[in-house]
């Protein structure tokens, strides 16, 4: 007799989203202790991306949009404007894109990578657009070189670790029936 998979409840999705939000606040505290590449790990990105895969696009959007603002209010660093505002748009995009693509693409391991990498690219583009708008409004400078440095060069440790760890975590969570299924 085949095992019947239980459906994950809405309450479970909310609890997972809250756990991801808490991780967004806690992980940076630990990674900042590694001065060589701690910020390059982009510790808030991990829980938001995981939220996209586990809670779906809309809860992940909320986690991504609120985490940087809560962090700035709790810890006072970095500045709310422009850094955290732009990061809120970026992380919200990560969550939405990962959740939407994951719920719509066929259940294949390769599609976890497609969802993840697409979310990472689109999120960085949204971050750049946000920074350009904010810089224009504040009459400050935001250059192409600044975008490349922050989004790719400085973030390389995080990009590599995310591409290695997140699919493995999602596969484990799939087996535990803790991922967002969306439409089939």
């Amino acid at each position: 007799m085949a095992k019947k998979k239980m459906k994950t409840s809405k309450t479970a999705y909310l609890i997972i989203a809250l756990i991801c939000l808490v991780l967004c606040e806690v992980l940076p505290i630990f990674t900042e202790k590694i001065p060589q590449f701690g910020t390059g790990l982009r510790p808030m990105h991990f829980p938001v991306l995981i939220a996209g895969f586990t809670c779906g696009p809309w809860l992940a959007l909320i986690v991504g949009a609120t985490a940087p603002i809560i962090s700035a209010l709790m810890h006072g660093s970095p500045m709310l404007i422009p850094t955290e505002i732009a990061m809120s748009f970026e992380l919200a995009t990560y969550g939405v894109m990962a959740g939407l693509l994951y719920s719509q693409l066929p259940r294949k391991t390769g599609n976890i990578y497609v969802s993840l990498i697409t979310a990472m690219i689109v999120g960085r583009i949204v971050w750049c657009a946000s920074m350009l708008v904010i810089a224009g409004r504040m009459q400050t400078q935001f250059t192409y070189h600044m975008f490349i440095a922050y989004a790719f060069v400085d973030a390389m440790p995080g990009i590599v670790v995310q591409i290695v760890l997140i699919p493995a975590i999602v596969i484990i969570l799939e087996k535990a029936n803790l991922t967002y299924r969306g439409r089939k």
Side-chain angles (χ1 to χ4, degrees), residues 24-25 28-29 32 39 42-44 67-88 90-91 127 131 150:
C24 284
E25 305 312 319
I29 294 168
E32 72 184 15
T39 57
R42 304 296 194 252
M44 282 191 183
I69 295 169
I70 292 170
S71 179
L73 294 174
M74 284 177 56
H75 307 291
S77 152
M79 297 184 324
L80 186 59
I81 298 174
T83 308
E84 299 301 315
I85 298 298
M87 186 185 273
S88 288
E90 174 190 20
L91 295 183
W127 175 79
M131 286 298 292
Y150 173 84

Side-chain angles (χ1 to χ4, degrees), residues 23-43:
L23 286 172
C24 284
E25 305 312 319
V26 173
L27 287 178
I29 294 168
F30 292 111
T31 60
E32 72 184 15
K33 306 284 186 217
I34 311 166
Q36 293 81 10
F37 66 91
T39 57
L41 288 176
R42 304 296 194 252

Side-chain angles (χ1 to χ4, degrees), residues 131-149:
M131 286 298 292
L132 286 170
V133 169
I134 293 167
R137 302 284 287 158
M138 295 178 67
Q139 299 179 350
T140 59
Q141 187 177 22
F142 182 73
T143 66
Y144 173 75
H145 296 291
M146 293 166 78
F147 167 66
I148 295 298

Side-chain angles (χ1 to χ4, degrees), residues 21 24 48 59-68 87-92 95:
L21 186 57
C24 284
V48 172
L59 283 175
L61 177 141
I62 293 168
V63 171
T66 58
M87 186 185 273
S88 288
F89 285 109
E90 174 190 20
L91 295 183

Side-chain angles (χ1 to χ4, degrees), residues 19 76 112 147 149:
I19 291 168
I112 296 171
F147 167 66

